[in-house]
Structures are given as C-alpha cells and as structure tokens.
Amino acid sequence: MIAYDIRNEKRLRRLHYYLKKRAVALQKSVFLLHANTAQLKEVEGQIKIRIDDREDDVRRYPIYGPNAIWGAGMQAAALESLYTRSSGKSSKSGGLEGLFRKIFKRKRP
C-alpha cells in the first residue's frame, strides 16, 4: 500500500497520475499496488523522481495477503469486494487475485 501527502499541486497531480496507472486507488492519496521486488524498486524510483524529499511524504506499507486488509465504515463493503470471492465466480476471476490479474494483465514497456 502506498500513501502520500504532497504539498505542491503540480507534483501531486504527476504522482497521482503515475500511481493511478499502476495501482488500485483506495482513496485520493492511498493506492494498493501489487508488485514483485523489481517492479517495486522501479515504482519507488519513479516516485522519487516526482517528489521533493524536503516537502513531501510518501510511505509504503507492505501487505502480505488479503487477510491483512481491514476496513470499516462506508467503504468497507467496497474494500471487502476487492479480496473476497463470490461463490459464482472461478478463482481466476474472483477476489483480489482476480482483480490484480485483470488490472495488471497488460504488458508494460
């Protein structure tokens, strides 16, 4: 999970646009990213290019499995649908795994 607080509007837009293409937006400044070690290093490098270390705050919180995600309140049902499987769906299309397959199935340059 990646969360950020960016002070400058231009840097904020650039980072948001970049992450929106590579991760699932949970809130305006919180994204859920599925990546291996090499992909994560690439994303971290691209984030560093887009921020100012003296003013901005970007944090990465590792989530080792869907059971580590917990939600409450209005968006809890939406969050739950990210990682729970419907009984009518196969394992290829259900839950968080199916969502990641759908989002990340395209090849990236």
Side-chain angles (χ1 to χ4, degrees), residues 1-2 19-27 30-34 82 96 99-100 103-104:
M1 185 176 311
I2 297 173
L19 288 174
K20 198 164 110 173
K21 288 182 153 191
R22 285 150 185 84
V24 177
L26 299 178
Q27 291 186 352
V30 179
F31 287 83
L32 188 59
L33 172 71
H34 179 74
L82 286 175
L96 185 59
L99 176 68
F100 283 144
I103 292 171
F104 299 106

Side-chain angles (χ1 to χ4, degrees), residues 14-108:
R14 285 182 182 167
L15 182 59
H16 183 82
Y17 180 77
Y18 174 78
L19 288 174
K20 198 164 110 173
K21 288 182 153 191
R22 285 150 185 84
V24 177
L26 299 178
Q27 291 186 352
K28 289 183 180 181
S29 62
V30 179
F31 287 83
L32 188 59
L33 172 71
H34 179 74
N36 62 31
T37 304
Q39 293 166 333
L40 185 59
K41 292 295 179 191
E42 171 66 24
V43 169
E44 287 175 348
Q46 291 297 318
I47 289 172
K48 287 178 183 178
I49 291 170
R50 290 168 170 79
I51 67 167
D52 182 340
D53 288 338
R54 296 166 293 166
E55 293 185 5
D56 303 330
D57 185 27
V58 179
R59 297 178 185 204
R60 176 174 55 99
Y61 300 98
I63 297 174
Y64 298 106
N67 294 336
I69 301 172
W70 178 86
M74 291 175 43
Q75 293 183 339
L79 181 60
E80 183 177 331
S81 70
L82 286 175
Y83 62 89
T84 57
R85 293 184 180 161
S86 154
S87 59
K89 293 186 177 181
S90 70
S91 64
K92 287 188 176 182
S93 63
L96 185 59
E97 181 180 320
L99 176 68
F100 283 144
R101 280 191 181 131
K102 188 176 186 180
I103 292 171
F104 299 106
K105 69 182 175 184
R106 63 188 167 164
K107 303 238 186 239
R108 294 213 163 75

